[in-house]
């Protein structure tokens, strides 16, 4: 199946958040939107990372409740794999 087909069924809306946002802010967005990850975008909409529920669990395991105040740059996954609509 090609990515274009998946997007036609799923939609093209991508939730993003600034790298300066805190983990608490990201958690709130995930809960409100009922999603599991946010693309972290910097200046000009450039992708700087992704923060997922898994990243959050790791931060809470390491820092406890103090993790809520961490900026996303401290907990996000920086290496993001991307593709084009014609990829399979």
């Amino acid at each position: 199946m090609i990515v274009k087909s998946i997007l036609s069924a799923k939609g093209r809306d991508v939730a993003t958040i600034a790298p300066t946002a805190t983990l608490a802010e990201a958690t709130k967005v995930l809960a409100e939107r009922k999603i599991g990850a946010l693309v972290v975008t910097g200046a000009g909409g450039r992708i700087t990372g992704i923060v997922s529920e898994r990243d959050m669990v790791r931060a809470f395991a390491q820092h406890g409740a103090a993790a809520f105040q961490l900026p996303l740059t401290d907990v996000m996954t920086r290496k993001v794999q991307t593709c084009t609509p014609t990829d399979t």
Side-chain angles (χ1 to χ4, degrees):
M1 179 174 273
I2 63 169
V3 173
K4 184 177 179 179
S5 297
I6 296 168
L7 293 176
S8 68
K10 176 196 157 305
R12 293 181 171 267
D13 184 37
V14 176
T16 63
I17 194 165
T20 54
T22 64
L23 195 58
E25 293 168 314
T27 302
K28 184 176 179 180
V29 174
L30 290 183
E32 289 172 349
R33 296 193 65 171
K34 297 179 179 147
I35 56 176
L38 293 164
V39 176
V40 183
T41 55
R46 188 177 67 84
I47 296 172
T48 59
I50 189 167
V51 64
S52 68
E53 292 169 332
R54 180 179 291 172
D55 295 316
M56 293 176 173
V57 168
R58 288 179 180 150
F60 292 128
Q62 184 175 6
H63 302 284
F68 277 114
Q69 301 312 313
L70 294 173
L72 294 182
T73 53
D74 287 358
V75 299
M76 70 184 187
T77 299
R78 293 180 181 274
K79 188 174 182 179
V80 179
Q81 297 291 323
T82 61
C83 62
T84 67
T86 58
D87 288 336
T88 56

